[in-house]
Structure formats: C-alpha cells, structure tokens
Amino acid sequence: MPSIAELCAERTLLSVEEVKVIIDLSQHLQLFADVFQSDVFIDCPLADQGTALVVAEAKPTTAPSLYHSSVVGLHAYAHNEPAVMFCLLSGQPVIGSRGISQEQIAMRQNVVPIRAKTGRVIGVLIMEQDISEIVEQEKNVERLRETTEQLSETLLAVALSESSVQSLMHEGIVLFDGQAHVTYANPRARKMLQEIGHSGAPEGLSLVELFYGRLDHASLLAPAGIVRQELVIGHVALELKTVSINRQQQGALGLMLIRDISDLKEKEKQLVIKSVVIKEIHHRVKNNLQTVSSLLRLQMRRTKLDEVEKIYRDSINRINSIAVIHEMLAYDGLETIQFNDVLDRIAKNVVSSTAKPDQVIRIAISGDTLTLPSDIATTLALVSNELVQNCVTHAFVDREQGDIRISLYGSGQIVRMEVADNGIGLPAAGDSATRKGHLGLKITETLVRENLGGLLQMASTGEGTQVTITFPLFPTEPKPV
C-alpha cells in the first residue's frame, strides 16, 4: 500500500510542508479511533474540487468497524459525501450528519477541517460511528410511545378504584358497572356533568343517558383497549376515555376519564382562523407582486432601448420568482415548500420571457426531491432565476438551441444544486473576469453567501458551463453587527 507521502505527492497538489502536517496527524488516528470508537479517515482535496482522496484510515479496536476492507487510495465524490466536500471548500465543520455506509449500516459522520500553518484547508478529519442501535432504539421508543398511554390509563384505573386520590385529580373520574350504570363519580366529574345540564347525583344513571344518547352501549363494555370520543354539548367540549378493568367483585367493571377540552378547542379554532389569515396574506402578496410585475411589463413595452428593456425583464423575472413561493404558500398553508415544483415553474418562466423567438432552449430537472423551509426556498428561487437567466442570456447568445440541466441533491444537512448548460462556456479570462460584469452573478453570490451560508463555484466543463451551489440546510445565524 502506498504511503501517505507517496499518495499526496503523486495525486494531490499539497506542498511538502502541508504533507508533513497530514503525516503528523495520521500518527494519532488509531488513538482517535479507539477513544471515540469510530472509523477515522483523512481525506485530501484533488485538483478537481468535487473529488477528494482517502490518504489515511484507522479502525477502532474498542468497537466493530463499519468497513471490512481498506479504503485508502479511493476517491470520495461530492455526490456520495457532500459533507466532506462542503468542509473542504468552506472550512466549516459538519457535525452529526447521518448516512449509510458501504455495508448498509446506519452511521453518524463528523467532519472537521485540517489546516496548514498558513490557514489553508489541506484536508479533513472524518469520524464515522455505527449508530444502528441508536436508530433501532428510536424506532422502539416510537412504538413504545403508542402503547404508553393505554398502559398508564389501565394501571390508573386499578389504583383509583381503591384510593381517595381521585378527588384531587383535574380529570373527571367515573366508575361504572356491567350495565354501564354509574357507581361513582369524583367531584371534578360532577362539576363537568353539571356544566352540561345534570343537576342531580349521577350514580345509578346510565352513561348513555348521562351523555344524551351520544355513546354506544356496546363500545363502553368492550374488553379490549381504550375507547376515545369527543363530545360537544352546548358550549362545553369534552374528551372521554373509557377502559374496562373487569373488577366486578367490587361493583365496578370499567372506568371513564372525562377531560374538559373547551379551551383547547377554542385555541384550535383560533389556529385555524390564523392559518386562513396567513394563507390569505400570502395570496394577497402574490397578487400584489403580480400587479407590480404587470406594471413593469407595461412600462417595458414603452421603452425603445434594449438595455432598459433587459433591466425591466430581469426585474420582472425576479419578482415572479418570489410570487411563485407565495402562491404555493397560499395554496398549501404550510411553512415548507416542495422546491422541485418551484424550480420547474421558475425555469420555464425565465426561458419563455428571455429566450429569442426563434430559439429552442430545453430544461431538464433531476436529482432528489427537496422540501425546504420557506425562507430558504425564497432565496434559492431567486438564485435559480439568476442562474437560468444567465444561461439563456449568455450561454446561447448566438445559438438557435441549447440545453440547461438542473440537478438537486440533499444528503443529511447538506444541499447541492448544479446548473449546467451546453453553451459557449466561460471566457478565456476565467471566473473572476466573467463575474465582474454581471449584476446577476453578483446577486447570486451575495444570496448564497449571506442568506444560505454556502459556496458558489463556476467551471467550464468542455461542453459549456456548470455552476454548483452547496449550502447547509440549517445555516448558522449571522453574527449581530
């Protein structure tokens, strides 16, 4: 197996001093692996910014390894390990990202940057830990949560049939016999029954009669499980939970818990009203944005200057991109957006409004289905608008047809979007010279850096241009000024 020095010298662009930093750190990998009971790796960047090289590894002796064979010398690609690529490019650690190993084992991955004395990121330290037991425990907790309430109510029923604690409880408690007649009601239950119109003692009355015929007699005496029901009688909303406890020798067969949920129902009603109001606000914002867009379009038709017309058209597309988000929020009433649909609408709108009449520009969207918070979706919508608009305006400036390929990838906490075209490519001057003259790219870089906390990269692919945006799903809050 080649040494670290040989791998770095042959396949990376690291200097001798930087390789020495990697070698010094690799001498401690086994200690890290044993202490943290994790597989530990060092990856170094290659000339291709979307690829890294595994130069060192250590398997724990204190816990099972996730890998049966060595991975030193293999490549790590952005599509498979976005957290590694994000850390290499941004210098920011990625903690707690979950994934699946090559042996299909659930794992947690922590990635931290390795820096040279100059501060440049020359590699990443990766710790991968088997969390299959944790994942299984989480599933068990979820299953346990479904049965906990039933068990608690059953035990409570047995205890309360012999105790005086029931008079201190907030819920109403009613015990009933084999004919579903009330044998006991605590003070809270009596008060609730008075609120729905019963002035006398409830003992001896049938539960069906007590709740004005709204209960099913057979379900009250069912031996299995808890029977839940909500009733609204007058201005009072009640939640009833009935369980059979089969203690006939003491004159009781079952127990009913009564809870006044009038306040809860009122709050739910207010939430529904607020939800409707919020949806209406989004709807009106969308309408107002479309009105502004229409006014700008009318103004655009009055100008005879191509440059002014382009400015109007760019502004209209940006406004329409935001309007799409508010339209979907108004329709769904949620604070998350299915972004693939947004991206499809924005791309088609930009092509139809920006392309020349005789041009044929095709859009293809692929990758993962992403559901994003509304604020992130709004920023990414503006970014998508600028990138597609840039493709149409510059990549196919002298061409009759072209293709734009947009790919979305979401892995754990990292999101990546690629926008590629088969146009004329970047000018020979390179990225920096290209970006200086384009307001759209300046807007895009600012949105990605400031709003998303991410990275933007541009490169010629030999068949055109590719722009890659990588950002964490939950970016850190900006520091207060």
Side-chain angles (χ1 to χ4, degrees):
M1 180 182 297
S3 67
I4 295 175
E6 292 172 342
L7 284 172
C8 292
E10 294 174 1
R11 300 166 65 178
T12 73
L13 301 178
L14 300 183
S15 66
V16 174
E17 290 298 322
E18 290 171 342
V19 173
K20 186 177 183 303
V21 174
I22 298 296
I23 294 174
D24 290 342
L25 180 60
S26 68
Q27 296 174 359
H28 305 286
L29 288 194
Q30 190 60 55
L31 176 62
F32 293 160
D34 292 339
V35 170
F36 295 103
Q37 296 183 329
S38 306
D39 289 279
V40 184
F41 307 92
I42 294 179
D43 287 11
C44 292
L46 298 179
D48 176 7
Q49 292 186 337
T51 310
L53 176 69
V54 184
V55 300
E57 68 177 358
K59 299 179 180 180
T61 59
T62 56
S65 173
L66 292 168
Y67 298 87
H68 296 301
S69 58
S70 173
V71 295
V72 171
L74 301 183
H75 287 176
Y77 299 99
H79 180 71
N80 296 325
E81 297 193 57
V84 172
M85 296 306 131
F86 182 80
C87 185
L88 281 172
L89 294 172
S90 68
Q92 301 177 18
V94 179
I95 306 299
S97 179
R98 288 192 175 189
I100 302 296
S101 73
Q102 294 178 355
E103 281 75 24
Q104 301 301 307
I105 298 175
M107 68 173 183
R108 178 169 53 231
Q109 189 180 64
N110 296 333
V111 187
V112 295
I114 304 171
R115 298 183 184 273
K117 293 181 180 179
T118 60
R120 189 170 83 94
V121 176
I122 59 174
V124 290
L125 179 67
I126 307 165
M127 293 185 183
E128 295 180 353
Q129 189 175 36
D130 184 352
I131 59 169
S132 54
E133 291 185 4
I134 296 176
V135 173
E136 185 62 29
Q137 288 175 1
E138 290 174 351
K139 293 179 181 178
N140 291 337
V141 168
E142 195 64 31
R143 288 191 289 264
L144 182 61
R145 191 176 298 169
E146 297 175 358
T147 60
T148 298
E149 184 176 358
Q150 178 177 347
L151 178 60
S152 299
E153 296 292 353
T154 303
L155 293 175
L156 179 65
V158 174
L160 290 180
S161 64
E162 300 175 346
S163 173
S164 60
V165 160
Q166 56 263 42
S167 62
L168 303 176
M169 297 189 63
H170 183 70
E171 287 81 6
I173 300 174
V174 173
L175 300 179
F176 56 89
D177 59 20
Q179 287 73 44
H181 287 89
V182 177
T183 60
Y184 172 80
N186 74 339
R188 180 60 178 163
R190 294 172 184 270
K191 183 176 181 180
M192 291 181 184
L193 293 174
Q194 289 175 0
E195 291 177 353
I196 62 174
H198 294 286
S199 57
E203 283 79 4
L205 296 178
S206 166
L207 288 176
V208 177
E209 178 185 0
L210 206 60
F211 294 99
Y212 303 100
R214 300 191 187 186
L215 301 182
D216 178 59
H217 186 273
S219 65
L220 293 174
L221 303 177
I226 296 176
V227 179
R228 292 180 175 86
Q229 187 171 353
E230 291 185 4
L231 299 177
V232 178
I233 301 175
H235 65 281
V236 180
L238 300 176
E239 179 187 53
L240 310 180
K241 295 181 182 179
T242 307
V243 60
S244 297
I245 59 177
N246 196 21
R247 293 176 63 83
Q248 292 179 334
Q249 68 274 18
Q250 296 185 13
L253 179 72
L255 174 143
M256 174 182 286
L257 294 178
I258 308 174
R259 182 185 176 196
D260 189 339
I261 58 172
S262 302
D263 290 342
L264 181 61
K265 286 296 182 181
E266 181 62 26
K267 290 178 180 178
E268 289 180 354
K269 179 180 177 181
Q270 294 301 321
L271 286 175
V272 171
I273 294 174
K274 289 180 180 179
S275 177
V276 172
V277 170
I278 290 173
K279 290 174 67 175
E280 179 63 20
I281 290 173
H282 284 302
H283 180 71
R284 294 190 181 187
V285 170
K286 183 263 297 184
N287 289 344
N288 290 338
L289 289 173
Q290 290 181 338
T291 300
V292 173
S293 178
S294 299
L295 292 174
L296 289 176
R297 192 173 288 109
L298 290 173
Q299 193 68 30
M300 179 182 69
R301 292 170 182 169
R302 296 173 63 90
T303 183
K304 298 181 180 180
L305 299 175
D306 292 342
E307 183 64 25
V308 175
E309 181 179 343
K310 180 181 181 302
I311 293 173
Y312 274 121
R313 185 180 295 110
D314 291 350
S315 299
I316 290 170
N317 286 338
R318 289 164 188 152
I319 293 172
N320 287 340
S321 298
I322 301 175
V324 169
I325 298 293
H326 284 284
E327 181 179 359
M328 298 190 73
L329 290 172
Y331 179 77
D332 294 331
L334 303 174
E335 286 303 315
T336 56
I337 297 291
Q338 213 286 338
F339 190 73
N340 301 61
D341 296 337
V342 173
L343 184 58
D344 182 66
R345 294 179 58 176
I346 290 174
K348 291 178 179 178
N349 177 67
V350 171
V351 170
S352 64
S353 64
T354 309
K356 298 176 183 178
D358 56 344
Q359 276 186 318
V360 177
I361 298 178
R362 295 170 289 272
I363 300 287
I365 299 175
S366 62
D368 300 330
T369 299
L370 294 183
T371 300
L372 302 175
S374 59
D375 55 342
I376 293 180
T378 301
T379 299
L380 200 57
L382 287 170
V383 169
S384 305
N385 175 83
E386 298 299 332
L387 293 179
V388 175
Q389 191 165 271
N390 191 62
C391 290
V392 177
T393 304
H394 301 289
F396 311 120
V397 61
D398 295 322
R399 300 192 179 188
E400 295 182 355
Q401 61 179 345
D403 294 286
I404 301 174
R405 300 179 305 279
I406 307 175
S407 303
L408 294 171
Y409 301 101
S411 176
Q413 298 174 341
I414 305 298
V415 174
R416 190 171 87 256
M417 182 174 75
E418 298 174 355
V419 180
D421 62 64
N422 60 349
I424 61 176
L426 294 174
D431 290 5
S432 59
T434 302
R435 300 186 192 188
K436 288 180 180 178
H438 298 314
L439 175 63
L441 283 177
K442 291 180 181 178
I443 292 174
T444 302
E445 286 183 317
T446 302
L447 290 173
V448 171
R449 183 178 64 254
E450 301 295 337
N451 290 23
L452 298 179
L455 299 169
L456 181 145
Q457 297 172 279
M458 290 184 62
S460 291
T461 61
E463 299 179 352
T465 303
Q466 177 173 303
V467 179
T468 302
I469 294 169
T470 309
F471 62 92
L473 187 57
F474 301 103
T476 57
E477 294 293 331
K479 296 181 179 179
V481 180

